[in-house]
Amino acid sequence: MRPGWAHFCILPPGLLYLAPMMTRSAPSRLGYIDWMRGLACVLMFQTHCYDSWLGGDARKSAFFMWSQLGGTLPAPLFLFLAGISFALVTDKLRLKGMPSAQIAHTTIRRGAEIFGLGFLFRLQEYVIAWGWAPWSDLLRVDILNTIGLSMMLMGAVCWVMFSSGLQTRFALGMTAAGVGMSISLLSPLLWTSWRPRWLPWPLESYIDGVHNLGEPQSWLFPVFPWAAFAFVGLGVGFFLLSDEARKRGAAAFVLAGAAGIGLIYLGRWLDARPFQLYATYDFWHTSPNFFLIRVGLLLAILAGAYLWCRWGAGQWGFSPLIQLGHTSLLVYWVHIEFVYGRLSILPKRAVDVRTASFGLLTIFLSMVLLSVLRTRLKGRGAEALAWFYRPVKAS
């Protein structure tokens, strides 16, 4: 693992988390980030499980509606946390005196690696589903692709800022937040009247999620609007790193949570106006108002997670959420096949809420166990090879 990347994570439904084993006795100062990532995993599990397995009237119930509503949070959470982690890493490299070009090269390369992992995941799914999956699935814009691309874009923006001499955390944070809001404001137009139809669909899909279906698809993860959450996370990360926020400690997180509640009310107030900015207004998929509401929720969750992990039971002994947060990419990668794939543990769209809930519990416990095994076995292969190849001492 490269130094400095211990908290550079991702995931969606996905993500990459390169972190040390959770064997230390003292609570981690950044445990709230792992806790939030684990929360995103649990929300992802429930969304996928109920969506895949519930059938008949259960799919028309209020329970299913609330389950799917909860499913609007995992992807923003993963992107938001990727932005915060990006700020932590970038700031650390800058304080070490690393040149701006080298910081950009390091961060953009990391984003490219994750972008490539997205293609590897799609290739795996295509091979497993050989015979009935269309070849176009290989080019589907999934969460891993968007996280990787967002990281590359954040690296480019930070490089421009550093090269321009604007290196204060305040300037970096405000610029990141401005870029995020701009992405959100442009999304309704780029999904409708400003659609880049002249691009080949595999490229256009990264802008509006059109895939090869002629119209933008809400189940994909194009840069517009999804990358906006990463840039907001980047801005929040630089805010939390500022001298003023460090001095205030927990009060800074409380302030962030209060700002989040304010954004929720602002988004709802704007949505209730009799007129809207855009000719085509899609609240659930491209609306900047819904974006504000979700950013508000993310900030409120951030504050709650910090307080829970600092003064609550968030880091008392073993925490399943923190454990899942350490290996979010792994559990994402594996659970998909046991929920949506050919190895699904329950028949698809054929069971009731009770049966699907038992299936969800099984997935959750299995993924926690897998995560524990991953952290406990991490590095054992290298140790075994070192023992095998060590020189024989002369007698």
Side-chain angles (χ1 to χ4, degrees):
M1 179 175 67
R2 296 187 184 89
W5 290 97
H7 282 88
F8 218 153
C9 125
I10 54 186
L11 175 105
L15 313 102
L16 173 70
Y17 186 72
L18 303 177
M21 271 180 58
M22 227 186 74
T23 55
R24 53 189 178 275
S25 57
S28 168
R29 184 176 63 87
L30 298 175
Y32 67 93
I33 294 181
D34 298 322
W35 193 92
M36 288 178 67
R37 197 171 290 122
L39 174 64
C41 288
V42 173
L43 290 172
M44 173 183 67
F45 293 160
Q46 71 85 22
T47 303
H48 290 172
C49 288
Y50 290 128
D51 177 60
S52 176
W53 298 330
L54 287 184
D57 292 338
R59 299 190 71 84
K60 305 173 186 177
S61 64
F63 179 89
F64 182 69
M65 179 197 72
W66 283 106
S67 169
Q68 295 305 292
L69 188 61
T72 64
L73 279 177
L77 267 170
F78 284 123
L79 285 158
F80 179 73
L81 292 170
I84 292 179
S85 300
F86 196 100
L88 296 174
V89 172
T90 301
D91 193 70
K92 184 175 182 179
L93 296 177
R94 185 175 64 89
L95 292 177
K96 286 183 176 180
M98 183 178 289
S100 58
Q102 190 175 349
I103 294 176
H105 177 266
T106 302
T107 54
I108 292 174
R109 181 181 63 186
R110 187 61 184 154
E113 291 173 359
I114 296 171
F115 186 71
L117 280 175
F119 284 107
L120 182 61
F121 177 74
R122 294 258 50 88
L123 177 61
Q124 172 196 284
E125 293 299 292
Y126 179 72
V127 171
I128 292 176
W130 186 271
W132 57 271
W135 68 268
S136 58
D137 276 5
L138 293 168
L139 302 177
R140 183 192 303 173
V141 182
D142 212 336
I143 187 68
L144 280 176
N145 305 94
T146 301
I147 290 176
L149 191 54
S150 297
M151 289 169 61
M152 288 189 279
L153 292 172
M154 288 189 292
V157 169
C158 288
W159 175 71
V160 170
M161 293 291 290
F162 291 154
S163 301
S164 303
L166 300 174
Q167 300 191 18
T168 66
R169 292 169 178 142
F170 177 79
L172 291 167
M174 291 300 293
T175 299
V179 172
M181 197 64 226
S182 297
I183 291 173
S184 178
L185 289 170
L186 287 171
S187 295
L189 296 173
L190 289 170
W191 277 46
T192 54
S193 55
W194 290 7
R195 264 187 60 195
R197 293 179 172 86
W198 46 274
L199 286 174
W201 70 261
L203 296 180
E204 183 187 351
S205 196
Y206 279 93
I207 296 176
D208 57 23
V210 70
H211 201 51
N212 64 342
L213 301 173
E215 295 292 335
Q217 303 298 306
S218 61
W219 46 274
L220 295 178
F221 297 90
V223 169
F224 296 88
W226 292 101
F229 293 105
F231 275 97
V232 169
L234 180 64
V236 171
F238 281 123
F239 163 74
L240 295 176
L241 288 167
S242 67
D243 294 336
E244 186 66 22
R246 287 175 180 269
K247 183 173 67 174
R248 292 183 179 275
F253 287 87
V254 174
L255 179 62
I261 294 174
L263 287 177
I264 293 172
Y265 279 101
L266 176 61
R268 293 183 62 183
W269 182 81
L270 290 173
D271 179 64
R273 297 308 89 199
F275 60 89
Q276 295 297 334
L277 218 59
Y278 306 95
T280 302
Y281 182 68
D282 186 346
F283 176 80
W284 293 106
H285 302 127
T286 61
S287 166
N289 299 332
F290 188 40
F291 172 73
L292 289 176
I293 292 173
R294 287 197 284 187
V295 169
L297 285 171
L298 294 175
L299 291 173
I301 293 172
L302 174 68
Y306 177 84
L307 298 175
W308 177 246
C309 289
R310 179 166 179 178
W311 288 301
Q315 295 189 83
W316 292 357
F318 175 76
S319 169
L321 292 188
I322 290 178
Q323 181 61 50
L324 288 172
H326 280 297
T327 58
S328 52
L329 174 62
L330 174 66
V331 298
Y332 164 65
W333 205 292
V334 173
H335 97 279
I336 286 290
E337 191 57 33
F338 290 99
V339 175
Y340 282 117
R342 288 183 171 178
L343 299 179
S344 175
I345 65 174
L346 289 175
K348 297 173 187 174
R349 301 207 171 193
V351 304
D352 57 17
V353 172
R354 181 184 178 187
T355 304
S357 297
F358 278 116
L360 169 60
L361 179 61
T362 301
I363 290 292
F364 171 75
L365 294 176
S366 300
M367 292 303 103
V368 171
L369 177 60
L370 177 64
S371 178
V372 170
L373 290 174
R374 172 69 182 93
T375 54
R376 290 189 179 279
L377 295 177
K378 191 172 184 178
R380 294 293 176 85
E383 293 173 6
L385 286 175
W387 178 87
F388 183 79
Y389 285 112
R390 66 184 177 184
V392 178
K393 296 181 180 179
S395 57

